[in-house]
Amino acid sequence: MMMLEYWNKAHICGLLSVRFGLTSYLEINTSTTGFRYAEARQLGFQPCMRLVYRATEPPLDGFPVDFTSADEDIAACLNDTRLKGRTFDIVFVDPHHTYECSARDIREAFRMVSPGGAVVVHDCLPPNRSAANPSFLHGEWCGVTYKAYIDFVLGNPDLDYFTVDADYGCGVILKPKGTRAKIKNWLRARRVRKLKDEWRSVGDDFDAAFDKFMADKTRLLRLVDFSLLRRKLR
């Protein structure tokens, strides 16, 4: 029997770092998400930092946490002098998967990522309706991070993005660098206006959003296979 390769979020960050020369890394996660920080450190990012909220216990990997919050409020972390005003080449987001936390974490990650860098968002491809429950569930829970991600990228249509069909879906948002990139992305944005209007029509109805998502996830996410991505980025 052939052994299938399993590509995870750390592999995707590593591939982006090699292809685009991305050298610094920030991870935003909770005590019950992430779990790949040790692999990120092995990739050699400098600096390699993390912000953990809903931090109910020390991380099992034994590595330090640079910024921490016991609840969902990360304002003090963002205002820490070591983080405030700083940018990173890759900001990896594996949030508490409510809409509010996901939307905030993606927004703050994009603010902190360097021009030419990437925000990588985990759990953008929930496998079923149960996993996409907007409220916390023990076990397989992607929540509505997928909706916060789509809302963000379609709400900022001059951005370039795609989603890797691996490890529950890893969204990649590329921050434009230079005028030429911004113009190119603006022209692309004109072609997705109809899709944006279709998605906006579901509003805050999570059931309707999931129905639309399942019917049109390839277009909404710009879904790509990891093996194909790996060939293109070599």
Side-chain angles (χ1 to χ4, degrees):
M1 180 181 297
M2 180 178 296
M3 182 72 70
L4 294 177
E5 294 179 293
Y6 176 73
W7 304 108
N8 65 46
K9 47 204 174 188
H11 294 129
I12 293 164
C13 290
L15 182 63
L16 292 169
S17 72
V18 171
R19 177 60 179 84
F20 297 112
L22 308 180
T23 61
S24 57
Y25 176 94
L26 174 68
E27 181 170 312
I28 302 174
N29 65 292
T30 76
S31 289
T32 57
T33 61
F35 302 121
R36 298 285 180 181
Y37 182 69
E39 292 176 48
R41 288 176 63 94
Q42 290 174 356
L43 291 170
F45 289 113
Q46 288 294 331
C48 186
M49 308 175 81
R50 62 176 164 180
L51 185 164
V52 180
Y53 64 97
R54 290 177 60 93
T56 56
E57 57 188 27
L60 296 177
D61 58 31
F63 291 112
V65 175
D66 301 280
F67 313 98
T68 184
S69 172
D71 54 28
E72 294 176 8
D73 185 357
I74 63 171
C77 298
L78 298 176
N79 287 324
D80 189 299
T81 56
R82 294 170 298 157
L83 190 60
K84 190 172 183 179
R86 189 167 195 163
T87 61
F88 298 84
D89 295 335
I90 293 182
V91 181
F92 172 68
V93 178
D94 199 348
H96 186 56
H97 299 305
T98 62
Y99 185 86
E100 292 76 15
C101 286
S102 299
R104 178 204 61 198
D105 293 355
I106 294 169
R107 181 180 66 250
E108 293 296 340
F110 189 75
R111 181 180 63 81
M112 289 187 286
V113 78
S114 308
V119 176
V120 180
V121 185
H122 192 230
D123 289 306
C124 294
L125 186 58
N128 51 56
R129 191 180 297 273
S130 176
N133 194 303
S135 300
F136 175 74
L137 292 174
H138 289 285
E140 188 179 54
W141 184 56
C142 299
V144 286
T145 296
Y146 79 93
K147 186 177 187 305
Y149 169 67
I150 295 171
D151 284 352
F152 183 83
V153 294
L154 293 186
N156 296 276
D158 57 332
L159 299 179
D160 196 9
Y161 75 97
F162 58 90
T163 309
V164 186
D165 187 3
D167 196 2
Y168 291 93
C170 294
V172 179
I173 306 170
L174 304 173
K175 194 163 193 175
K177 181 178 182 180
T179 303
R180 181 177 298 179
K182 292 179 181 178
I183 292 174
K184 179 182 177 182
N185 292 344
W186 176 78
L187 292 172
R188 183 187 295 109
R190 299 180 64 184
R191 299 196 294 270
V192 302
R193 191 169 298 159
K194 181 179 178 182
L195 180 62
K196 176 184 174 182
D197 291 342
E198 292 173 5
W199 179 250
R200 182 181 290 173
S201 69
V202 305
D204 296 326
D205 185 332
F206 290 120
D207 284 332
F210 188 75
D211 289 339
K212 173 63 177 174
F213 172 74
M214 291 302 291
D216 211 4
K217 61 187 178 184
T218 299
R219 277 205 310 155
L220 286 166
L221 295 177
R222 296 183 184 170
L223 202 59
V224 299
D225 178 79
F226 183 87
S227 297
L228 176 62
L229 178 69
R230 187 173 58 162
R231 291 197 297 271
K232 284 181 175 294
L233 293 185
R234 279 179 174 171

